[in-house]
Amino acid sequence: MKRLSSFIPVLPLLSLMISVLPFSGAVHTARAQSGDDLIVLNDSTPGIDVVINPSPDTTGVIGVEINNASVTVTDAVGNLVFETVDPAVSGLEFSFAPNAGTHTLTINRLPGATQGYARIAALAEMTALETTPKLVTSSTLSPAQEADFPLNASAPSSVVQVTAPDAATVTARFPGAPVTAQLVDVSTSRTLATLTGSLIDGVRFTMDGGSYELVLLNNNAARETVANVSVVPAPASDFETLVAQAETSATTTMTNTGPASSNAGSAVQDARCTLTITASSVNMRSGPGMGYSVLDYAFRGENLAVGGVNPESGWLLVGTDTGSAWMSNEAGTLAGACDNLAAYDIPYRAAPTPQVTIQQPQVPVYRDDDDHDDYGDYDDDHDDDHDDDHGDDHDEHDDDD
């Protein structure tokens, strides 16, 4: 793996980690966001991680609005279950099935974009549609229409054609079955988004107007489901207004400050908090504490960007080549602006006490009736010899007396 041998100005996935516990309708963030919960993705914060932790037996929805940003979702073991990297997609909602387990939603600024933007919300259910769609029996849908598509052993897949002259929202729900859904732009044949069969049982896309194809495939036809697909005009939102305000603010700031000199750039770099590893090797974990899994390792002399601490300040959130990880603050030496690091409300987890069980080895004894008789004869002979020997011993002992 490529290591971070020196400080990198771009902090990968350090600026925000969100824990949703449990789908309570509130998203708890560890850093202030500009605007009305608007997250700005730029050179210092190109990406964020959103950790979704539903309670057992509950369902819930995560809503995401994006501009110049990509979205991926991975499950508890790191499998990629959703991906979109297309600027035509501006909104998403994910419905999680009961006992879906922990998922991580990652939002990154699109390559080539100066800034990207995102806004996240935890919801009890998918947002109510402003337009009530009419139920039809066609596989070609236009705004204000919906249709049902059985996905079973005899017909595990369906292809839905969507035509929308203006920005539209497409919702697909398929409860109880692991369904793969792929959204394709017909005019360019490019894939806008892919959901792989998982514990996400519904997805909503808001995208630019155009002609699209939504392909649905039930990956376990034995688990029958009926997929409902609806198309409605994109709802009104203040998200784009917030984005425009942020863009104006960024332009004004650049105009007022002018181009940064090389010395100014160095000063900004020096002001960031870094950790130089002094131990021979350090475990990089998925959370603060030795009770979390090991993601990777860091070695003596490496310099890592530091983006936060846990509430107890004993563990540091550091940047890696692929995202972020946690390590003990005793692993190295801090340098730079480390006094006001963001505190992430992620519970400390100590290593579990090993359970030791001592068992007596079992020695098999093989015996049948004949063997039992032989052993019995041996015991009789042994007893006779034992009695004779002891008798002689007693006689000799008495003679000595």
Side-chain angles (χ1 to χ4, degrees):
M1 177 184 126
K2 178 166 109 26
R3 304 304 311 169
L4 299 177
S5 57
S6 61
F7 181 81
I8 296 178
V10 174
L11 275 170
L13 302 176
L14 284 179
S15 297
L16 180 65
M17 184 170 285
I18 300 176
S19 293
V20 181
L21 297 168
F23 290 108
S24 60
V27 176
H28 306 288
T29 65
R31 77 172 180 89
Q33 301 171 12
S34 62
D36 183 14
D37 293 330
L38 184 70
I39 301 166
V40 180
L41 307 173
N42 48 34
D43 286 343
S44 62
T45 310
I48 62 171
D49 277 342
V50 180
V51 179
I52 304 162
N53 241 336
S55 293
D57 302 319
T58 63
T59 62
V61 173
I62 293 295
V64 185
E65 293 173 278
I66 52 175
N67 178 288
N68 282 337
S70 65
V71 175
T72 60
V73 180
T74 53
D75 62 16
V77 296
N79 295 322
L80 181 67
V81 298
F82 178 84
E83 181 178 32
T84 180
V85 293
D86 200 290
V89 178
S90 59
L92 297 161
E93 288 187 15
F94 302 99
S95 175
F96 290 87
N99 299 311
T102 301
H103 284 69
T104 300
L105 184 148
T106 300
I107 306 176
N108 281 310
R109 179 183 58 176
L110 286 177
T114 303
Q115 291 194 149
Y117 303 91
R119 183 165 63 176
I120 308 164
L123 311 167
E125 57 187 12
M126 282 191 168
T127 307
L129 298 175
E130 295 179 358
T131 302
T132 301
K134 178 184 177 181
L135 183 64
V136 299
T137 57
S138 173
S139 61
T140 299
L141 300 178
S142 56
Q145 290 184 333
E146 66 175 330
D148 293 333
F149 302 92
L151 302 177
N152 48 43
S154 59
S157 65
S158 289
V159 178
V160 184
Q161 304 293 332
V162 176
T163 302
D166 300 307
T169 294
V170 176
T171 305
R173 305 171 190 258
F174 26 82
V179 172
T180 292
Q182 189 172 68
L183 185 66
V184 179
D185 186 321
V186 174
S187 61
T188 62
S189 298
R190 75 182 190 275
T191 299
L192 271 65
T194 301
L195 173 71
T196 306
S198 64
L199 290 171
I200 296 176
D201 61 4
V203 62
R204 173 172 289 171
F205 310 95
T206 297
M207 64 263 189
D208 298 341
S211 296
Y212 301 98
E213 189 174 81
L214 180 63
V215 182
L216 302 174
L217 171 65
N218 188 345
N219 292 286
N220 185 354
R223 294 167 61 179
E224 239 179 76
T225 190
V226 176
N228 174 266
V229 180
S230 65
V231 182
V232 298
S237 172
D238 63 346
F239 177 70
E240 291 304 325
T241 301
L242 295 174
V243 169
Q245 292 172 352
E247 291 278 8
T248 302
S249 176
T251 302
T252 302
T253 301
M254 291 178 63
T255 302
N256 292 339
T257 59
S261 66
S262 58
N263 290 337
S266 299
V268 171
Q269 177 167 317
D270 292 341
R272 292 196 175 117
C273 182
T274 61
L275 176 73
T276 300
I277 303 300
T278 56
S280 59
S281 63
V282 184
N283 292 328
M284 306 178 78
R285 297 182 179 272
S286 58
M290 291 192 297
Y292 289 92
S293 59
V294 176
L295 302 176
D296 207 340
Y297 307 92
F299 299 93
R300 194 192 320 271
E302 293 186 25
N303 294 315
L304 303 174
V306 180
V309 297
N310 69 325
E312 296 82 7
S313 299
W315 287 73
L316 304 173
L317 182 64
V318 300
T320 71
D321 293 334
T322 57
S324 58
W326 290 86
M327 62 172 55
S328 170
N329 63 3
E330 298 178 356
T333 303
L334 291 170
C338 303
D339 292 336
N340 296 306
L341 293 171
Y344 293 93
D345 189 17
I346 299 174
Y348 171 79
R349 184 184 297 172
T353 303
Q355 299 297 314
V356 178
T357 302
I358 300 175
Q359 293 182 335
Q360 188 86 15
Q362 300 295 318
V363 179
V365 177
Y366 304 97
R367 181 180 295 177
D368 57 25
D369 292 341
D370 293 337
D371 292 338
H372 183 72
D373 293 340
D374 292 341
Y375 275 105
D377 295 340
Y378 170 77
D379 290 341
D380 294 341
D381 295 340
H382 180 71
D383 289 340
D384 292 341
D385 293 341
H386 183 73
D387 292 341
D388 292 342
D389 291 342
H390 275 278
D392 294 340
D393 291 343
H394 283 298
D395 292 341
E396 293 173 359
H397 183 70
D398 292 339
D399 292 342
D400 290 342
D401 293 338

